């Protein structure tokens, strides 16, 4: 259920709430790292919980605050898991391809931001939704998994690009109104200056 909600969030609003998703991923990575370190260091009880929670909070803060870093790490992991899942998740060739594709997407997402984060969110959310459908439908089929993943990814990418375009259009309209107001003020100031000069000339004559 939680996986389905996260998939839906990534598909529909991934770019809009990306920093929340970055923080969630960072927290999960930190907790995993904390648990691994606790296991190696033979930590138990509240100490293990404290180390894991602290590592989770630190990782979450890093991904949410340092946005390019968050975009890189999120895209790297999300695309790697998605490509590996589409490829069956077995064999060094599949994992190598997944790693290469993930690294390219991660670098581009960190450099260009939303234009690349949107497809990352759409594809990752679509694959996650396909995994949920694969396990919860009455019959299991790889074809259903691929079909659902593809449809969700395309729909999610289109919706998010449309939302981004409407936001840009709104900002441009606001900027246009602001520029128009400035031009009107300049015109009125110029007109006032002309009136003052005309009145001075009339007084001198």
């Amino acid at each position: 259920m939680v996986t389905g909600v996260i998939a839906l969030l990534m598909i529909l609003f991934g770019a809009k709430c990306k920093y929340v998703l970055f923080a969630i991923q960072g927290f999960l990575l930190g907790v995993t790292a904390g648990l691994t370190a606790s296991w190696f260091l033979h930590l138990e009880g509240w100490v293990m919980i404290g180390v894991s929670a602290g590592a989770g909070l630190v990782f979450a803060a890093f991904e949410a605050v340092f946005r390019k870093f968050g975009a890189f790490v999120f895209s790297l992991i999300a695309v790697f898991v998605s490509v590996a899942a589409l490829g069956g998740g077995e064999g060094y060739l599949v994992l190598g391809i997944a790693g290469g594709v993930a690294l390219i997407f991660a670098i581009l997402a960190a450099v260009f931001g939303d234009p690349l984060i949107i497809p990352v969110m759409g594809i990752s959310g679509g694959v996650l939704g396909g995994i949920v459908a694969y396990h919860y439908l009455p019959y299991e089929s790889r074809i259903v998994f691929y079909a659902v993943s593809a449809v969700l990814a395309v729909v999610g990418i289109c919706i998010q690009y449309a939302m981004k375009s409407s936001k840009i259009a709104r900002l441009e309209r606001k900027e246009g109104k602001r520029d128009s107001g400035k031009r009107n003020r300049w015109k009125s100031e110029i007109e006032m200056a002309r009136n003052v000069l005309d009145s001075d000339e009339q007084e001198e004559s």
Side-chain angles (χ1 to χ4, degrees):
M1 190 66 175
V2 176
T3 306
V5 172
I6 293 175
L8 193 62
L9 188 66
M10 292 174 68
I11 292 167
L12 298 178
F13 308 106
K16 188 176 285 292
C17 58
K18 56 183 175 289
Y19 301 124
V20 175
L21 293 170
F22 291 174
I24 291 172
Q25 186 201 65
F27 182 76
L28 294 175
L29 285 175
V31 168
T32 303
L35 290 173
T36 304
S38 298
W39 184 77
F40 275 108
L41 297 173
H42 305 290
L43 303 177
E44 296 179 352
W46 287 105
V47 176
M48 179 186 67
I49 295 173
V51 169
S52 302
L57 292 174
V58 169
F59 272 71
F62 260 81
E63 285 207 35
V65 174
F66 300 101
R67 297 175 178 181
K68 290 187 180 294
F69 173 77
F72 178 85
V73 175
F74 184 92
S75 301
L76 184 69
I77 295 174
V79 174
F80 177 81
V81 172
S82 299
V83 175
L86 291 171
E90 297 178 358
Y92 291 113
L93 179 61
V94 172
L95 297 178
I97 293 173
V101 174
L103 183 60
I104 292 171
F105 267 94
I107 293 172
L108 293 176
V111 173
F112 295 105
D114 280 356
L116 265 297
I117 290 173
I118 287 174
V120 167
M121 292 292 182
I123 294 169
S124 304
V127 172
L128 193 58
I131 293 172
V132 173
Y134 180 79
H135 287 291
Y136 283 94
L137 287 176
Y139 53 89
E140 294 184 355
S141 170
R142 295 291 296 181
I143 296 176
V144 172
F145 166 61
Y146 290 131
V148 172
S149 299
V151 170
L152 291 177
V154 171
V155 170
I157 290 171
C158 291
I159 290 174
Q160 291 191 62
Y161 272 129
M163 292 171 64
K164 187 69 175 178
S165 298
S166 63
K167 180 180 179 181
I168 292 173
R170 285 197 306 271
L171 291 174
E172 287 178 347
R173 285 197 298 271
K174 288 181 180 179
E175 190 67 26
K177 290 179 180 178
R178 190 179 298 114
D179 291 342
S180 177
K182 287 181 180 178
R183 285 195 297 269
N184 291 333
R185 285 199 300 272
W186 291 339
K187 287 179 180 179
S188 63
E189 289 175 0
I190 292 171
E191 190 64 29
M192 289 174 61
R194 284 176 179 172
N195 292 334
V196 171
L197 290 173
D198 291 340
S199 61
D200 289 342
E201 290 177 357
Q202 289 175 0
E203 290 176 359
E204 290 176 359
S205 62

